[in-house]
Amino acid sequence: MKHPDAMAPLIELLDELLEMTRAAARADLSGRLGLARARVADPRVRLVVVGDPGAGTSTLVNGLVGAEVSAAESRVPIVVEYGPLARVTVVRQAAGGRAERAVIDPAERVAALAGAGVIRAEMAEPSPLLAEGFVVLEAPGSLADTPAAWSLLAAADAVLYVTDAGAPFTEEQIALLGRIQQVCPMVICVLNKIDRHAHWPQVQQQDRKLLDAAGLGFAVAPASAQLHARAAMTGDQQRDLESGVPQLLDHLRGYVLGRADAVAQDAAVRDIRLITDHLALALRSEAETLRDPRRFGEITEQLRRVREEADQLRQRTANWQVALADGAGELMADIEHDLRHRLRSLIRDAEADIMKGDPVGRWKEFGADLDAKICEAVEENFVIAHYRSVELAEQVAEKFPDGTVPTADLRLESPGEVLEPVAALEPLDSRKAGVTQQALSALRGSYGGILMVGLATSLLGMSLVNWYSAGAGVLLGINALWDDRRTRTQRRQAEAKVAVARLMDDVIFQVSKESRYRLRGVQRTLRDHFTEIASATLRSADESLRAAEEAVAVHSGERRERRLTEIEGTLVRLRELREYADSLGEEQQR
C-alpha cells in the first residue's frame, strides 16, 4: 500500500523503536509495533477498475497491466498482481460451498473464465505497474447489475470508474459515484474511447461541472485504451501519448501511491507517539529517583495515581467502556431500523407496481429489478454501518485521558456475500384459462341473461329465446368472461404480494442476522483495541514503579551515574523519535 522508497525512513525508525521495546522487555509494545511495521512495509495498493458495459473496461485493464489478462466476455472478477512469470489460477465453487483452485495455461484463460462454477480468476504478470505494488482488480459488468462487485470495492485503496467519452455523466452515474465515494474516497473517473469522439473535451468539462455540483472532487482523465494497444504493437510513442494511458499511469504512481503513503504514515505516527510515551514514563521515573533518592516517596505516589487511573480504564465502569457499550447498542438499533425502513419502502413500491396489471407477463423482469433494489438497499445499509462504526471508534478514543490514542483500523467487509443464502423470488402460476374454460364461463353468464330477459319478455307473448334475450345473453356472457379474467388477475396479484412478502422476510432474517454479527465483531474489535491500550498504560505504570524501586536501592555513586547517563541518552533518543513523528504528523495536516 506504500511506496518502498518513501517508507524506508519510517521503517528504519520503527525498527529502532522495536529494538528499544524488546530491550525494555515490553512484549505488548513490541507486538503493536510489529503490526505497524507490517502495515507500513506492505507495498500493495488495491486498484479496482469498474465501469459501464461497453465502456472498454477490459481493454483498459489490459493496457494498465501491459498484458492480455481480461476479455470483454469475462463475467467473473479478475485479480492481477505481480509475478516473475505469467500465471492464471481459476477459483471454482465446489460441492458444499468449498472453493477449489486450479492453475491453468494462460493461453486458455478466456475459455476457462467462461466455464461453469467459476467465481474469480487470480493472475500474476511481470508488469512494471504491478512491480511497483499495485494489485489490479476488475469488477465485471455494471455495479447496478452486479452487486457482488461491491465486494471488491470494500477492499479497494483506489477506484477507476470507466465511462464512454461520448456523453457526459447521467444523474444515475453521479449518484453511483457518490455511493462509491462512501466505500472508497479515492476515485478517478476515466473517459475512455476519446479517439472515437472528437468532442470529448466538452464532455470532460461538463463532467467536471457535474462532479463539482455534487461535491465530488474526482479527477477526470481522458484515455483511449484501444489507441494505446495499437501504439504498443507499432511502437509509436506519439500515438501512445495521444491515448492518455501513459499520463494515467503517471497519475496513479504519483497521486494514488502518494495518498497511500500518507494514510500509512499517519497510522504509524500515532503508534510511535503512544509507544515512545510508554517507554519514556518508566525511564523518567528511574532517572528522577537516581538523581534524588529522597524523592522516592513523592515519585511512587504519583506513579500509584497513574496506575490507579490506568487500572480504572480496564474496568467495565470506565467511561470508554460505557461509551462503547451504549454506542454499540444504539448503532445496532439504528442500523436495524434503517434496514427495515429501506425494505419496507421497497415492499410498498413493489406492491404498487404489482397492482398496475397482471404481474405474470413481467414477473421475471420484476424479480430482477427487485433483486437489484434489495442489493442496493443492503449495500447502502452496510456502508452507513461502517461509517457509524468509525464515528463510534473516534468517540470512544476521546474518552481516554489524553484523547490522542490511536483508533482501531476498521475496514468495510464485503456486503455482496450477505444475500447469497436468500432464495429467489417464487414463480407465479402463469397458466392461462383454456378455450373450454373460457367458453364455459361465457355460457354460464349468457344462460342467466337469456333466462332472465326471456322470462320478462314472455309476459309480452314473446318466446323465451328472442332477440332481446339473446342480446342480453351475449352481453352478460362477455361480462362473465371479463369478471373471470379480472378475478384471475387479482388472484395472481395477491400471490405476487405474498411472494414479495416472503422474499422480504427472508432478506430481513438473513441480513439482520449478518448485520448484528458484523456489528458485534466491530464492538469486540474496538473493545480489544482499547483494552490493549489501557493494559499497556497499566503495564507502563507498573514498570515505572519497579524501575523507581530498583533505582532507590542503588547505593554506588559510580553505578548510579553510569545508569543515569544511559537513561538520559535513551530519553534523548526517544524525544528525537517523538519529535520526528510529530513533524510527520504536522506535514500530513498541511
Side-chain angles (χ1 to χ4, degrees):
M1 188 180 305
K2 281 67 63 180
H3 196 284
D5 295 336
M7 293 293 106
L10 188 58
I11 291 175
E12 292 179 1
L13 187 152
L14 290 170
D15 287 338
E16 181 180 353
L17 194 56
L18 189 59
E19 289 298 324
M20 298 175 73
T21 58
R22 288 170 179 167
R26 293 297 302 270
D28 53 337
L29 301 181
S30 298
R32 186 175 190 87
L33 268 179
L35 294 175
R37 190 193 187 285
R39 287 196 303 266
V40 171
D42 183 3
R44 293 175 297 175
V45 173
R46 297 166 184 84
L47 179 66
V48 177
V49 184
V50 298
D52 304 321
T57 304
S58 299
T59 309
L60 182 63
V61 169
N62 294 336
L64 295 175
V65 175
E68 295 291 330
V69 296
S70 179
E73 300 81 8
S74 176
R75 293 294 181 268
V76 297
I78 295 174
V79 181
V80 193
E81 58 184 353
Y82 177 77
L85 298 174
R87 186 186 73 252
V88 179
T89 302
V90 174
V91 183
R92 293 186 175 89
Q93 187 76 33
R98 295 182 299 105
E100 291 184 348
R101 308 164 69 88
V103 179
I104 64 170
D105 186 347
E108 300 176 357
R109 75 180 80 195
V110 176
L113 295 181
V118 177
I119 55 179
R120 72 175 177 276
E122 299 173 352
M123 305 182 187
E125 285 290 339
S127 162
L129 181 70
L130 302 180
E132 295 181 30
F134 279 99
V135 178
V136 179
L137 303 92
E138 181 189 4
S142 68
L143 290 174
D145 300 331
T146 315
W150 289 91
S151 304
L152 299 181
L153 293 180
D157 295 305
V159 175
L160 288 185
Y161 181 78
V162 186
T163 185
D164 195 294
F169 290 134
T170 62
E171 293 183 2
E172 291 77 13
Q173 288 175 311
I174 293 294
L176 183 62
L177 286 169
R179 291 180 57 207
I180 293 175
Q181 187 193 38
Q182 292 180 319
V183 179
C184 178
M186 194 180 300
V187 181
I188 301 171
C189 300
V190 180
L191 292 184
N192 197 17
K193 304 181 181 180
I194 59 174
D195 55 325
R196 300 185 184 180
H197 307 286
H199 64 288
W200 68 262
Q202 290 79 16
V203 174
Q204 182 186 31
Q205 185 177 9
Q206 182 64 22
D207 284 344
R208 283 174 175 160
K209 291 181 179 179
L210 292 172
L211 291 172
D212 291 342
L216 303 174
F218 302 155
V220 182
S224 173
Q226 286 284 2
L227 189 60
H228 173 72
R230 292 195 295 268
M233 293 176 62
T234 60
D236 190 340
Q237 295 185 357
Q238 181 61 35
R239 176 171 288 189
D240 194 23
L241 289 174
E242 293 175 359
S243 72
V245 175
Q247 294 89 325
L248 177 60
L249 289 170
D250 291 340
H251 184 72
L252 291 176
R253 292 185 176 101
Y255 177 72
V256 176
L257 282 178
R259 289 284 298 275
D261 291 347
V263 172
Q265 187 172 283
D266 183 59
V269 163
R270 290 196 298 268
D271 284 328
I272 291 171
R273 288 170 175 167
L274 178 70
I275 291 169
T276 52
D277 288 346
H278 282 300
L279 291 177
L281 178 62
L283 292 173
R284 280 197 297 267
S285 302
E286 185 178 358
E288 290 176 3
T289 306
L290 288 171
R291 291 191 188 98
D292 188 0
R294 293 171 298 180
R295 295 187 61 238
F296 173 71
E298 178 186 348
I299 293 171
T300 53
E301 181 63 27
Q302 293 176 351
L303 290 175
R304 285 193 179 94
R305 286 198 296 268
V306 173
R307 190 189 186 286
E308 289 177 1
E309 293 175 357
D311 191 39
Q312 290 175 359
L313 288 174
R314 300 177 67 222
Q315 305 299 322
R316 287 188 173 272
T317 55
N319 288 338
W320 74 267
Q321 292 270 24
V322 175
L324 176 59
D326 292 346
E330 293 176 0
L331 176 59
M332 291 181 190
D334 290 346
I335 296 303
E336 178 80 10
H337 179 269
D338 178 80
L339 175 66
R340 291 183 177 274
H341 173 71
R342 292 177 185 275
L343 295 182
R344 188 174 297 174
S345 299
L346 287 182
I347 292 175
R348 288 196 293 266
D349 294 342
E351 290 180 346
D353 192 15
I354 288 171
M355 295 306 296
K356 292 179 180 179
D358 194 339
V360 168
R362 51 193 176 89
W363 189 242
K364 185 176 181 180
E365 293 77 10
F366 174 84
D369 182 62
L370 183 60
D371 286 343
K373 290 179 179 178
I374 291 174
C375 290
E376 181 180 354
V378 171
E379 289 155 7
E380 291 178 351
N381 179 260
F382 273 59
V383 169
I384 291 174
H386 170 68
Y387 278 92
R388 287 285 305 276
S389 299
V390 174
E391 290 177 358
L392 176 60
E394 295 172 351
Q395 292 170 3
V396 174
E398 293 174 356
K399 298 299 180 181
F400 278 72
D402 53 3
T404 59
V405 299
T407 57
D409 182 16
L410 299 177
R411 181 176 286 274
L412 175 63
E413 298 181 4
S414 166
E417 302 172 355
V418 180
L419 295 174
E420 289 182 0
V422 177
L425 192 62
E426 298 175 1
L428 292 182
D429 183 7
S430 59
R431 292 176 300 173
K432 295 183 178 180
V435 176
T436 303
Q437 193 171 7
Q438 294 184 48
L440 289 175
S441 297
L443 285 175
R444 282 194 295 268
S446 61
Y447 172 76
I450 292 173
L451 185 61
M452 287 186 297
V453 177
L455 288 175
T457 55
S458 64
L459 298 176
L460 301 176
M462 302 176 65
S463 61
L464 184 64
V465 179
N466 52 65
W467 288 105
Y468 298 105
S469 62
V474 170
L475 291 176
L476 290 180
I478 294 174
N479 184 69
L481 186 61
W482 180 261
D483 286 342
D484 182 66
R485 290 181 178 177
R486 184 175 56 190
T487 301
R488 289 178 179 276
T489 298
Q490 291 174 347
R491 185 173 67 249
R492 282 193 285 261
Q493 288 174 339
E495 292 175 358
K497 289 182 179 179
V498 171
V500 169
R502 288 177 179 172
L503 175 64
M504 291 301 185
D505 286 342
D506 197 11
V507 170
I508 290 175
F509 173 78
Q510 181 63 33
V511 177
S512 297
K513 174 185 174 183
E514 183 68 19
S515 179
R516 285 194 296 270
Y517 174 77
R518 295 192 182 198
L519 291 176
R520 286 292 185 190
V522 168
Q523 184 179 8
R524 286 192 294 270
T525 299
L526 295 179
R527 182 196 62 202
D528 295 343
H529 170 77
F530 290 110
T531 299
E532 179 184 351
I533 293 176
S535 299
T537 304
L538 181 62
R539 173 77 181 275
S540 297
D542 288 337
E543 290 292 325
S544 300
L545 281 169
R546 181 189 59 79
E549 291 171 354
E550 292 178 354
V552 79
V554 176
H555 300 291
S556 171
E558 181 180 351
R559 182 183 172 191
R560 181 183 295 114
E561 290 298 327
R562 186 170 60 251
R563 177 57 181 162
L564 189 57
T565 301
E566 293 176 0
I567 292 174
E568 289 176 346
T570 305
L571 285 172
V572 168
R573 185 54 185 160
L574 285 174
R575 185 167 59 251
E576 291 174 351
L577 296 178
R578 174 62 188 263
E579 290 174 353
Y580 178 70
D582 290 339
S583 66
L584 291 177
E586 292 173 358
E587 289 179 6
Q588 291 296 325
Q589 293 178 357
R590 290 196 297 266

